[in-house]
Amino acid sequence: MHTPQYFTRVEAIAILLIDDDEDDYLITRDLVEDINHQHYTLDWVSGYEQAKEWLRRDMHQVYLVDYRLGRQTGLDLLAYAQQHGVETPIILLTGQGDFEVDQLAMTSGASDYLIKKDLTADRLERAIRYSIQQASNLKKIRHLNQDLEKRVEARTEALAMAVKDLERQIAENHKKEQALRKSQAELRVALTKEQQLNEMKSRFVSMASHEFRTPLATILSSISLIDKYELAEHADRRKKHIERIKSNVHALTTILNDFLSISKLEEGKVSSHEGLVNLKDNLQEVLEEMQTQTKKGQQIKLQYQTDQDIVFLDGQIMRNILNNLLSNAIKYSPENSEVLVSAILAEGILTLNVEDQGIGIPEDEQTHLFERFFRARNVVNIQGTGLGLSIVKRYVELLHGTIDFRSIPNEGTTFIITLPIKTP
């Protein structure tokens, strides 16, 4: 058995192989030695208990763990690593492909899942490199969250102390009571808003840690699988995984955009700027852009019922509203369905309807639809932040309009927006 040693060469990436088969260690050692563009050092342990000890020491930058470890499995070691806060990436190795083991590995915290018989030096090096990068990105997110929590706690504590100080001053000086009470009320409002922002941040951190991990794991898995489909007849399989990567990158972008939008709206950094806009062109451009995100067979259609094309309107806010509503309609509707957008301008009022044939909203949950982070029980398995409709409502209010809806479960939902419009 090769006992791990601590390496001081900072340029080398230290790998620990946890495998009870010496032949597999020799094969892995040869693969590591074949990697040319990065220097690696490989250590090896064969026992489960010894592996736990080295996980606790945290002297390596990546772990390669065999699925079979005597009476235990690599999944048992993954569970142990999570319980003890091990942040170093772990790649699970198996003798043959098993979709169920693959899924269990990813949900148990593995950075990647590799099949021994398919291993090459290039595939191993890529998996190690991507796993280390993914672990670094997740660590940065955690550090950012910790920093945000400390800053919010400090600001909340400062505001609470200010409130207490004002209360003492009010008791000491009755002549300034009215002015001090006014200041106290303002500070209480500020404290309440700060606490609400803290709550929103905490809920976002909880949601983002899950919503980010799933797309990242899917992207990494698809990248690894693409390597297996090198022949021309594998083009369809490669395309499938490329589409999965694109879809999950879009999901990550949507999460970030939702949070940035709600943050700017909460801080009052978004205002309406009216200008001359070609309403019909504006609507058609949005529909064309969103058509690229549709599922198989889905169609977005426009019904335009006005002869007045040029209007005074904030075109960007209008696009943001439609993008959000159409994104939901696409996401919650089946393949081969139709999304209908209608626009009617009459007597200075623009009425926009976005109608889908999707899963609808349960009747007993419809009153919560525009609340931040609200997600109906029938969409829990579909990715989303629960911020989209809250953002839409705030945008509509910026344009001095109203938003309403009607929905029937398993038949579809229609959103109705009315906006006051000026014409030249």
Side-chain angles (χ1 to χ4, degrees):
M1 181 180 68
H2 183 75
T3 302
Q5 301 293 326
Y6 179 69
F7 288 86
T8 59
R9 294 179 61 189
V10 295
E11 71 276 16
I13 293 176
I15 307 168
L16 178 63
L17 173 66
I18 302 169
D19 195 318
D20 59 2
D21 190 329
E22 186 175 5
D23 288 340
D24 285 345
Y25 159 66
L26 296 174
I27 293 171
T28 306
R29 183 194 63 187
D30 292 341
L31 290 174
V32 170
E33 289 177 354
D34 287 343
I35 299 173
N36 297 320
H37 25 275
Q38 173 65 52
H39 182 55
Y40 294 91
T41 60
L42 179 67
D43 297 318
W44 169 53
V45 294
S46 60
Y48 181 82
E49 294 301 323
Q50 190 179 13
K52 292 197 297 184
E53 177 185 347
W54 283 98
L55 285 180
R56 292 194 299 271
R57 294 186 185 184
D58 194 24
M59 295 170 57
H60 297 80
Q61 289 156 281
V62 67
Y63 300 111
L64 304 178
V65 179
D66 188 25
Y67 178 70
R68 297 293 181 188
L69 294 173
R71 288 180 296 177
Q72 287 83 19
T73 70
L75 295 178
D76 295 326
L77 199 59
L78 280 169
Y80 177 86
Q82 287 202 329
Q83 291 171 2
H84 290 77
V86 176
E87 296 183 350
T88 305
I90 298 176
I91 299 173
L92 193 68
L93 306 175
T94 64
Q96 59 184 3
D98 187 320
F99 178 80
E100 184 176 353
V101 173
D102 185 353
Q103 294 296 103
L104 285 172
M106 291 306 180
T107 56
S108 299
S111 299
D112 205 349
Y113 170 84
L114 300 176
I115 301 171
K116 291 181 181 180
K117 65 183 180 65
D118 297 333
L119 263 182
T120 64
D122 285 342
R123 287 177 181 171
L124 180 60
E125 188 274 338
R126 179 175 295 179
I128 291 171
R129 177 160 42 89
Y130 285 163
S131 296
I132 292 174
Q133 183 61 53
Q134 181 190 22
S136 175
N137 290 340
L138 291 173
K139 190 173 183 179
K140 289 176 182 177
I141 290 174
R142 283 193 293 271
H143 287 168
L144 176 61
N145 291 338
Q146 292 170 359
D147 182 60
L148 285 172
E149 288 174 354
K150 290 178 181 178
R151 288 166 59 188
V152 170
E153 286 175 3
R155 290 178 65 184
T156 302
E157 183 179 354
L159 284 168
M161 291 177 64
V163 170
K164 289 181 180 180
D165 185 58
L166 279 174
E167 289 174 344
R168 179 182 57 80
Q169 291 181 35
I170 289 170
E172 293 175 352
N173 192 347
H174 294 288
K175 291 181 180 180
K176 297 180 180 180
E177 184 175 354
Q178 186 175 359
L180 288 173
R181 284 183 177 175
K182 181 180 178 181
S183 298
Q184 183 186 31
E186 291 173 349
L187 281 172
R188 288 192 183 280
V189 169
L191 179 60
T192 299
K193 288 184 178 180
E194 195 72 16
Q195 290 171 336
Q196 289 173 346
L197 286 174
N198 188 21
E199 180 185 356
M200 183 181 76
K201 178 202 69 64
S202 298
R203 293 184 67 179
F204 172 76
V205 168
S206 176
M207 175 273 298
S209 62
H210 176 266
E211 295 293 335
F212 269 79
R213 185 177 185 86
T214 301
L216 285 171
T218 302
I219 291 169
L220 184 59
S221 175
S222 292
I223 290 173
S224 299
L225 289 170
I226 285 174
D227 281 343
K228 300 179 181 180
Y229 305 127
E230 300 174 349
L231 302 178
E233 57 264 31
H234 294 156
D236 288 342
R237 295 182 180 178
R238 287 197 300 271
K239 183 178 179 182
K240 173 186 174 183
H241 288 292
I242 290 170
E243 291 302 319
R244 285 179 65 192
I245 292 171
K246 288 180 180 179
S247 175
N248 280 277
V249 168
H250 175 71
L252 291 174
T253 302
T254 299
I255 293 171
L256 290 174
N257 286 342
D258 281 355
F259 184 66
L260 291 173
S261 296
I262 200 69
S263 179
K264 288 180 180 179
L265 287 165
E266 289 289 342
E267 295 170 6
K269 294 182 179 179
V270 181
S271 56
S272 174
H273 301 284
E274 291 185 348
L276 288 176
V277 173
N278 188 309
L279 180 60
K280 187 174 184 180
D281 289 349
N282 192 280
L283 294 174
Q284 287 178 332
E285 287 174 7
V286 174
L287 268 61
E288 289 173 4
E289 291 170 3
M290 295 303 297
Q291 187 66 50
T292 63
Q293 300 179 23
T294 55
K295 299 174 184 174
K296 181 180 179 181
Q298 282 185 334
Q299 291 293 323
I300 305 176
K301 295 185 178 180
L302 173 65
Q303 290 183 353
Y304 189 75
Q305 301 178 39
T306 176
D307 295 327
Q308 183 70 45
D309 289 343
I310 306 300
V311 297
F312 281 102
L313 182 67
D314 188 320
Q316 185 56 52
I317 290 183
M318 171 65 74
R319 295 174 75 93
N320 291 342
I321 291 170
L322 278 175
N323 280 335
N324 255 299
L325 292 179
L326 287 173
S327 178
N328 280 351
I330 293 167
K331 182 165 38 176
Y332 300 128
S333 297
E335 296 179 353
N336 302 309
S337 62
E338 182 179 285
V339 178
L340 178 63
V341 178
S342 65
I344 303 172
L345 178 58
E347 299 180 357
I349 298 295
L350 173 63
T351 302
L352 281 175
N353 290 352
V354 178
E355 179 181 353
D356 65 49
Q357 300 171 346
I359 60 178
I361 305 151
E363 186 174 351
D364 60 340
E365 296 187 304
Q366 292 183 7
T367 56
H368 304 290
L369 190 60
F370 296 105
E371 295 176 6
R372 286 181 311 197
F373 298 105
F374 170 76
R375 305 200 73 215
R377 61 177 178 271
N378 60 342
V379 301
V380 292
N381 294 322
I382 303 174
Q383 280 189 333
T385 63
L387 291 173
L389 290 177
S390 175
I391 292 170
V392 168
K393 188 173 187 296
R394 294 293 295 272
Y395 278 143
V396 171
E397 290 170 350
L398 277 175
L399 299 181
H400 308 289
T402 62
I403 181 169
D404 201 355
F405 70 95
R406 55 178 178 267
S407 182
I408 301 175
N410 300 316
E411 291 188 19
T413 301
T414 301
F415 285 94
I416 305 103
I417 296 171
T418 58
L419 301 171
I421 296 292
K422 299 176 184 177
T423 55

